[in-house]
Amino acid sequence: MWRDRRLIDLLGLEHPIIQAPMAGSTTPAMAAAVANAGGLGSIGAATATLDEWRKTVTEAKRLTNRALNVNFFVHEPPTPPEPAQEMRMAVRLEPYYADLGLEVPAPSVPFHPFSTAALNALVDLRPRVASFHFGLPAASAVKALKDAGIRVLSSATTPSEAMKLEAMGADAVIAQGWEAGGHRGTFAAPFAEGQIGTMALVPQMVDAVKIPVIAAGGIADGRGIAAALMLGAAGVQIGTAFLTCTESAAHPLHREALLEAGRPSQVTSVFGGRPARALVNRYMTEMADAEPLPFPMQFSLVTPLARAAVQAGSTDFLPMWAGQAHGLNRSLPAAELMQRLVTEATQRLA
Ligand SMILES: Cc1cc2nc3c(=O)[nH]c(=O)nc-3n(C[C@H](O)[C@H](O)[C@H](O)COP(=O)(O)O)c2cc1C
């Protein structure tokens, strides 16, 4: 069915389709449904505690014995901001908090990068794949994962980042185009250099590395999959299109907004302190010129606003991560979306 079997053979799949890890939005039911349909089901573990993600992965493993991926962030832990910066941000946010009858909290660090404890737990759980965002963990950790038979993936936003990941031992690299929803994986290039669209990025990355390249960003149906394979990708990673699946943990207001075709998305740092693509809302527009606290501390000041606002039915402060192709989203069970993606892509390719 698929002429290029590199990714299928490397990861033990039936189809070269990865459901993207999406911290906060992926669920065991989603990952297992994708795995059972022959793709790679992923759990976004980056913002969960070790106990939380271990439970999630254990539940997914109960629902499938096929290929699963667990994903982590490997960002630098934040340096606490200067008091003056913290004060400026508190002053900016105070009117929003006041409107919702709340007080601006002290900033905190809501989640931590991949750790030795996480590595040990991962080796115990032995998913087929571990993937990373913002680079790769230390060489000793990559070796420990590979020694345990776990395949290691990471995202790159330029050909030179892909070459770095290949040299660091990645088994395959995800070419994350500018269209992609969620956080930019840029880790070793000036941010502005990593703003390359998927169509331009994939073939250049394919030429730069020997390991398989997985296309990501703006792929939402079989047409996108076929196009990515034509550009030399060995497979695709699809995020946004799975957010409106039955099994998604995305907030109902986020799902509704995704289904509004034509609603613009933009890359912004004001939610968490690092560039990420989201549907434009009031907070993004009004805070566009603000200097966010270091990643991921800014989230600790936005999450209470988002929670309070959604309770009142408003998306004004909600980070609604979305890729540029969200207008193609369908509301289906994940297994059915997988089936349609496979049928659409294979028909095009034939
Ligand atoms: C809601 C959401 C959350 C995401 N969270 C993560 C994450 O935790 N880890 C990660 O490596 N990538 C994350 N991504 C990025 C995806 O891995 C992928 O690059 C992107 O979804 C591809 O573009 P698309 O959304 O247009 O399909 C996220 C994307 C979205 C839409």
Side-chain angles (χ1 to χ4, degrees), residues 21 42-46 53 69-75 113-116 118-119 122-123 127 129-138 140-146 150-156 165 168-176 183-187 237:
S42 305
I43 301 286
W53 69 255
N69 165 36
V70 190
N71 172 269
F72 299 89
F73 289 170
V74 285
H75 57 284
F114 188 65
S115 63
T116 308
L119 171 67
L122 200 52
V123 167
V129 179
S131 75
F132 297 91
H133 217 42
F134 313 132
L136 277 172
S140 56
V142 172
K143 180 173 184 309
L145 291 168
K146 294 177 85 165
I150 299 170
R151 304 292 188 192
V152 175
L153 312 181
S154 182
S155 292
L165 294 175
M168 290 160 86
D171 291 301
V173 63
I174 299 145
Q176 192 194 33
H183 282 88
R184 305 293 309 144
T186 306
F187 67 97
Q237 175 161 301

Side-chain angles (χ1 to χ4, degrees), residues 190-224:
F191 173 62
E193 280 178 24
Q195 303 184 3
I196 309 170
T198 307
M199 182 110 177
L201 183 62
V202 170
Q204 295 186 73
M205 214 176 268
V206 167
D207 287 348
V209 296
K210 293 197 180 66
I211 52 177
V213 171
I214 299 154
I219 300 169
D221 62 18
R223 293 172 293 186

Side-chain angles (χ1 to χ4, degrees), residues 20-23 25 71 73 133 176 179-182 216-219 237-240 243 321 323:
M22 296 182 281
S25 297
N71 172 269
F73 289 170
H133 217 42
Q176 192 194 33
E179 298 92 324
I219 300 169
Q237 175 161 301
I238 299 178
T240 302
L243 285 175
W321 309 131

Side-chain angles (χ1 to χ4, degrees), residues 27 52 65 111 154-155 159 173 206 223 244 253 279 292 309 314 322:
T27 60
E52 285 166 351
N65 55 9
F111 55 84
S154 182
S155 292
V173 63
V206 167
R223 293 172 293 186
T244 45
L253 294 173
L279 296 178
S314 159

